Amino acid sequence: MLPDLTPEQVERFWSKVDRSGGPDACWPWTRGCFAAGYGAVGYHGKTYGCHRIALFLATGVQPGRLLTMHACNNRPCCNPAHLRLGTHSENTQQAYDQGRAVV
């Protein structure tokens, strides 16, 4: 479950996302990342993927066990227009369809 954030925390989160490319561009996280390249942010002693926080803030939907998938395949991207929730199987199929899966 993702944390509830105060309005100040939400504003601080978005201040670390580069949205200068406009609504259709990738919005990269500009701070720390996990080793795999996904943006990372800490709240209440836990670390979360920034793309998961971004989609939650945009939709209000808790992802639960679902993954947050990138249509753009740009791991630091936080643009909610590029993100959707999906299952592990859907994520694997997307990677295969886009030639990113190791076979």
Side-chain angles (χ1 to χ4, degrees), residues 30-92:
T30 63
R31 299 293 191 227
C33 292
F34 291 110
Y38 296 96
V41 63
Y43 295 109
H44 313 294
K46 293 185 179 180
T47 305
Y48 301 91
C50 295
H51 58 301
R52 291 178 65 80
I53 296 288
L55 188 59
F56 171 65
L57 292 175
T59 65
V61 175
Q62 282 283 355
R65 300 185 125 214
L66 294 174
L67 302 177
T68 303
M69 298 170 50
H70 287 88
C72 59
N73 298 317
N74 183 3
R75 291 178 178 182
C77 181
C78 292
N79 185 342
H82 295 187
L83 305 172
R84 71 174 183 89
L85 295 178
T87 65
H88 180 72
S89 295
E90 290 171 320
N91 194 47
T92 301

